[in-house]
Amino acid sequence: FADLLSTVSPRYAEEIQQDDEYGFGLEGVLQRRGADLRGILNGIDDTVWDPARDPYLPRPYDRDHLEGKRASHGALAAECDFAPGRPIVGMVTRLVDQKGLDLAEEAATELLELNANYVVLGHGQSRYEELLERLMLDHPERVHFCARQDERLAHLIEAGSDLFLMPSRYEPCGLNQMYSLRYGTVPVVRETGGLADTVEEFDIGSRTGTGFLFGPYEAEAMVGALKRSLAIQKQPELWQALQLNGMARDFSWRASADGYDRLYADALVRVRAGKVPTLESVKATLAV
């Protein structure tokens, strides 16, 4: 009976009409009302998430002064007891299947074979908390895990990591990839939902793009995307171009609010024209 429908990213608006994995049984209704469904990307609070004014960082930075990011990298490495030299892959996430933790579990051995250290902040299913605790116990110089909510550490991970991993099974929008882009931390994400709408695969030739994506929900595909990102990280000029691309993007609510302005304006036009859903009109859309 809604005049119009909305969800939190354009790609997710398409996905929830496709099958029950995304639509959870409502995909048929959403297909019938597809013309009324809008995907409007969520925004981020760019005053709270701003590396130039972030009180949790040892040194502020922006696109023109990336030295502060190196200071955050050093502070994060010190907090995690990591030796200097390796890139840091960060995750701030709920530890649940939906966030792709089963892929990390399956690929644990391959991840440790890469030239990278890993820091994870979050809590959730005991299966994944125990996995990460075990990995940290066995590889304290490579893996750091904090099973809690910690605003300060979340900001430091966003600023101090080189890469941010989001291998979600599905992701209506996602915010951390947008935080990461603003902080010059390169996202490695699954090509789904809002992740696909906000991260563009980096192209070496044109030096366009903001991160690295993988499509199949498979551990091998996730590791492959990480390998591509780590190969670029070894090339300073390409890496800086990639960082600056991401930091130039605007994912503030100022941009997202325009979509809601249009949504409500269109809804008002419908109501004023008398195009209000009734029991009879809704039944007509359900007729076989």
Side-chain angles (χ1 to χ4, degrees):
F1 287 94
D3 297 295
L4 289 172
L5 312 172
S6 70
T7 189
V8 292
S9 72
R11 173 68 76 92
Y12 194 62
E14 298 173 5
E15 291 173 341
I16 58 178
Q17 300 179 61
Q18 291 173 4
D19 54 47
D20 59 1
E21 181 180 5
Y22 293 102
F24 289 91
L26 288 173
E27 60 276 2
V29 177
L30 292 165
Q31 286 169 11
R32 286 190 289 272
R33 297 215 57 192
D36 301 328
L37 176 60
R38 312 285 174 82
I40 304 172
L41 196 68
N42 272 341
I44 63 172
D45 187 333
D46 62 354
T47 59
V48 172
W49 293 95
D50 180 2
R53 295 178 292 179
D54 194 326
Y56 295 113
L57 306 187
R59 183 176 172 185
Y61 66 94
D62 56 25
R63 293 183 78 246
D64 298 320
H65 306 90
L66 288 175
E67 302 83 9
K69 181 165 180 62
R70 289 190 283 274
S72 288
H73 179 93
L76 180 60
E79 180 149 338
C80 298
D81 290 325
F82 292 157
R86 280 196 176 99
I88 297 177
V89 178
M91 293 183 75
V92 180
T93 183
R94 289 182 294 115
L95 304 180
V96 295
D97 291 340
Q98 182 243 320
K99 295 295 186 179
L101 270 295
D102 55 332
L103 297 186
E105 180 182 49
E106 182 180 345
T109 300
E110 289 80 2
L111 292 174
L112 289 168
E113 291 173 350
L114 300 179
N115 181 40
N117 293 333
Y118 303 89
V119 54
V120 182
L121 172 64
H123 55 80
Q125 293 174 237
S126 57
R127 161 187 170 186
Y128 297 125
E129 291 191 9
E130 291 167 4
L131 166 71
L132 291 165
E133 287 168 357
R134 185 168 64 252
L135 288 172
M136 182 171 64
L137 182 64
D138 293 343
H139 307 278
E141 76 288 355
R142 300 288 309 283
V143 178
H144 188 79
F145 169 54
C146 292
R148 64 177 187 268
Q149 291 182 324
D150 187 323
E151 188 74 8
R152 178 197 65 83
L153 184 55
H155 281 247
L156 186 59
I157 290 173
E158 286 289 5
S161 298
D162 299 280
L163 299 162
F164 197 92
L165 179 61
M166 294 182 72
S168 303
R169 180 181 291 274
Y170 62 90
E171 194 66 66
C173 179
L175 297 176
N176 280 99
Q177 82 278 12
M178 293 189 272
Y179 301 154
S180 298
L181 290 168
R182 186 160 172 78
Y183 279 64
T185 298
V186 174
V188 178
V189 304
R190 177 149 183 263
E191 190 175 358
T192 186
L195 300 178
D197 288 324
T198 53
V199 180
E200 178 188 352
E201 180 78 19
F202 183 64
D203 181 88
I204 297 175
S206 63
R207 298 195 178 190
T208 58
T210 58
F212 299 89
L213 300 96
F214 64 98
Y217 190 72
E218 299 170 358
E220 182 180 2
M222 179 188 71
V223 172
L226 279 170
K227 286 180 177 178
R228 296 198 307 275
S229 66
L230 290 169
I232 298 299
Q233 199 270 341
K234 295 177 182 177
Q235 304 178 61
E237 287 190 13
L238 288 177
W239 188 252
Q240 183 167 317
L242 174 55
Q243 288 179 300
L244 296 180
N245 289 349
M247 296 180 81
R249 298 297 172 90
D250 179 9
F251 291 113
S252 68
W253 276 109
R254 290 182 298 278
S256 300
D258 291 341
Y260 284 99
D261 283 341
R262 290 190 294 271
L263 175 75
Y264 292 124
D266 289 349
L268 282 171
V269 168
R270 290 188 178 207
V271 171
R272 289 166 179 164
K275 296 180 180 179
V276 179
T278 64
L279 181 59
E280 289 71 26
S281 67
V282 171
K283 280 183 175 179
T285 69
L286 301 176
V288 178

